[in-house]
Amino acid sequence: MALLQISEPGLSAAPHQHRLAVGIDLGTTNSLVATVRSGAATVLPDEQGRALLPSIVRYHADGRVEVGYPAQARQAEDPKNSIASVKRFMGRGLKDVAHAEHMAYDFADAPGMVQLRTAAGVKSPVEVSAEILKVLRQRAELSLGGELAGAVITVPAYFDDAQRQATKDAAQLAGLNVLRLLNEPTAAAIAYGLENAAEGVYAVFDLGGGTFDISILRLSSGMFEVVATNGDSLLGGDDFDQRVFCWVVEEAKLPPLNARDMRLLLVKSREAKEYLTTHAEARITARLSGGEVVDVSLSAEKFCQITQTLVHKALGPMRKALRDAGLGAEDVRGVVMVGGATRMPQIQRAVGEFFRRDPLNNLDPDKVVALGAAMQANVLAGNKAAGEDWLLLDVIPLSLGIETMGGLAEKIIPRNSTIPVARAQEFTTFKDGQSAMSFHVVQGERELVQDCRSLARFELKGIPPMAAGAARVRVTFQVDADGLLSVSAKEAATGVEASVAVKPSYGLADADVERMLRDSFEHAKEDMRARALNEARVDAIRLVEAVRGALAADGALLSAEERAALERQAAALAAVASGSDHRAIRQASEALNRATEEFAGRRMDAGVKRALAGKRIAGLDL
Amino acid sequence: MSSHFELFGLAPAFAVDAAALDRAYREIQSRVHPDRFAHAGDAERRASMQWTTRVNEAYRTLKSPVQRAKYLLELNGVDVGFETNTQMPGDFLLRQLELRETLAGANQPEALDALLAEVRREQRLLVQGIAQLIDDSKDYAAAAGEVRKLMFLDKLAAEIDVAYEKVE
């Protein structure tokens, strides 16, 4: 027990110690980091007291990277190397990127995710996002005075598997331990629900810079239950800027613009949009690189008119979400508005008319997601005592399926299933003697595979020769609590198996992540081995703590010998963790994990039994 | 492995106490959910995910009348056989054709509302009949026939949902 003598904060193995955990809102336009301090969720500002970090990353030829305000200030001068709204490219191929022709970037169409050519080389959206996350991580560690135990990263509820995986990869690249990917509207519901002790059915309308989500939740004390979610992962405040930009180009009869002028006018368009929230008219002036002067005025009325189709685009998902929830607009007790773009009066009006009630605007729409994420991170890190915490039940936004004959998508897990969820389906061979089957995993609601998103392809080989239709191949889809899918296939007669974590098509393979890590360390001149050792230690100590906590709580489920064996193994890991061989630490961690499997199973069984016993006792009280 | 009913401490019957089911589901979830084990070791996180997956599946099955009936019949050794047993009474099929024609002709949300209300009414009647057949007369073969009818109507309701998207 006395073997652990590591002095850094956050590394202590003392039980019930407050673990440093943060919530990160990785936004299209702005990103934030928040934490729970002395019971209250609070956004952590930078050294100048600014809460928001503009999600803009600028790459220099010498390898320097600027993130946030400095990158924003120079974006019109250096548009190709100043990457804004990178969230729109996460997990996306070039063909999926809307308005690519209006963007000042130099895209490289790589298999899978689109890449960007910059002065510092080709960058993946995952790397760009990781730069933003690194800055937020440093901000938090500086402010909290220690290493983070973990982070909750928010994603749009309507993000598909590829986009979620890309986000998780970015966090990993930034050296964050991801406690959970949390849906943005759900995070907002936590912040709103706790603040207002809300009960009943609520809708969260979340229109951010680049994405739109609508979630219907049932709130009760200690419980946040998502009933249905819908949205459009390519609709956001950016699109309103784009409309203003196009209007300006037309109104001022401008010739095709260079990248610098394009970015300049986009920035001006955004400013005009924001100004029109509280004014009847906005003047847009700019001097272009060729010397031409743009000077036009946009009225609020005209702005509404040119963005009407965008507002209309939000209505379909709202109807679908209500239908999936089996509810009408009248069943909704309140509509929580989230995201900077909900400040636009036409959005407020449209939502008010749809739900026939005034939207709730009493939380800062820019901060509420980060605050909710921080509250959830605090719970997940184990900082809340049982009874003070809450349970969050979320759903998968889009159906998951597999391609069958004729290019049809067979749905295996329907949208709005509560996660984690697993479902299996049996398939058979098409030809006599067929020895392999190839599977194509897709996500989406459409019947044809070509209209769905392709997530992964994999093969099951070594099926023994059988007549067509005789093989029984069971394909199992498992979605975890982060909404991430893994798929496995197994032939019944022979037990031949194949499985994939759904990564290759659009996400990054582990080797890519490793390469990016190596690249980033070459620049930062940090010692990779030191980081590997540190990570292994942190993980090991976390595990020792968890096992000791479990033994203290439920040691009675073990025989004296079993208990002694686990205690010995935990102590052994603690001893190895104070050494400097990261491989040995990993091995000892794995050994302890294996040794605790049986105990973990018994604890779950006991938990379920206690739950039922508690319910019966409660029932008797009635 | 225990049955879905045993898992929630409920008697295996078609008529379930929805409040008791919800309560048991939440109680168990609050003990096994991955959020309770986010900072635990791999073994516990894995066990937690497996348990929660199972609890979600059991809850989904018992919550839905069709799935609950199908599951109960399976527990009693009767396969509903929706895919294999396609023989349905003539009057039922005629009625289905009628409803489908109405769906094909519905090009206003109001028309779909009316059709959906009609389908819901017929679903309720079937559910009442199934409850009686399973819980009272224990006539599982007859219940299987009614469950197949209910599946037809569920499919139709799903198609009405898709139709809404087209007319809106």
Side-chain angles (χ1 to χ4, degrees), chain A residues 385-399:
Chain A
E388 277 178 40
D389 53 2
W390 55 81
L391 188 64
L392 186 64
L393 300 175
D394 217 320
V395 301
I396 176 173
L398 293 153
S399 302

Side-chain angles (χ1 to χ4, degrees), chain B residues 94-108:
Chain B
L94 269 182
R95 175 72 184 136
Q96 290 308 298
L97 281 177
E98 223 174 84
L99 289 170
R100 269 160 203 282
E101 265 170 39
T102 314
L103 173 59
N107 45 22
Q108 295 289 327

Side-chain angles (χ1 to χ4, degrees), chain A residues 79 157 187 197 227 273 292 345 445 465 469 486 521 589 608:
Chain A
V227 193
K273 173 192 76 175
E292 312 98 302
E445 306 312 316
S486 53
F521 283 119
S589 292
V608 171

Side-chain angles (χ1 to χ4, degrees), chain B residues 126-140:
Chain B
L126 278 172
V127 166
Q128 282 165 18
I130 291 167
Q132 204 270 324
L133 284 170
I134 294 181
D135 292 349
D136 301 340
S137 33
K138 315 234 179 292
D139 187 345
Y140 301 129

Side-chain angles (χ1 to χ4, degrees), chain A residues 497-532:
Chain A
E497 273 184 76
S499 67
V500 279
V502 179
K503 274 190 161 190
S505 270
Y506 273 87
L508 298 176
D510 284 338
D512 288 333
V513 173
E514 237 170 69
R515 177 190 56 78
M516 289 179 189
L517 270 174
R518 259 200 318 274
D519 289 356
S520 71
F521 283 119
E522 269 163 30
H523 279 306
K525 300 211 172 23
E526 279 184 60
D527 184 359
M528 187 143 169
R529 197 175 300 150
R531 172 161 158 173

Side-chain angles (χ1 to χ4, degrees), chain A residues 180 220 223 225 319 323 376 380 389-390 420 422-423 478 543 593 596-597 603-605 607 612, chain B residues 7 26 29 31 33-37 39 41-44 46 49 51 53 56-57 60 161 164 168:
Chain A
R180 187 73 76 236
S220 57
M223 185 94 163
E225 193 178 1
R319 288 197 201 97
R323 235 183 351 257
Q376 187 66 9
L380 295 184
D389 53 2
W390 55 81
R423 208 59 66 71
Q478 168 85 57
L543 179 62
N593 265 319
T596 52
E597 263 165 29
R603 286 192 81 202
M604 296 297 155
D605 288 346
L612 289 178
Chain B
L7 176 64
R26 288 166 178 215
Q29 280 292 38
R31 309 236 178 198
H33 196 275
D35 285 359
R36 295 281 181 266
F37 299 92
H39 59 286
D42 286 353
E44 285 204 290
R46 223 175 6 254
M49 185 170 82
W51 258 103
T53 299
N56 278 335
E57 176 64 17
R60 185 192 69 95
D161 239 26
Y164 269 112
E168 270 163 3

Side-chain angles (χ1 to χ4, degrees), chain A residues 1-4 13-15 541-555 563 566-575 592 596 599 603, chain B residues 44:
Chain A
M1 291 291 280
L3 287 162
L4 278 169
I541 290 162
R542 196 181 289 140
L543 179 62
V544 169
E545 244 183 82
V547 169
R548 284 181 179 154
L551 284 172
D554 282 322
R563 183 174 178 151
L566 283 185
E567 274 167 356
R568 253 196 324 275
Q569 214 152 354
L573 175 58
L592 182 56
T596 52
F599 182 38
R603 286 192 81 202
Chain B
E44 285 204 290

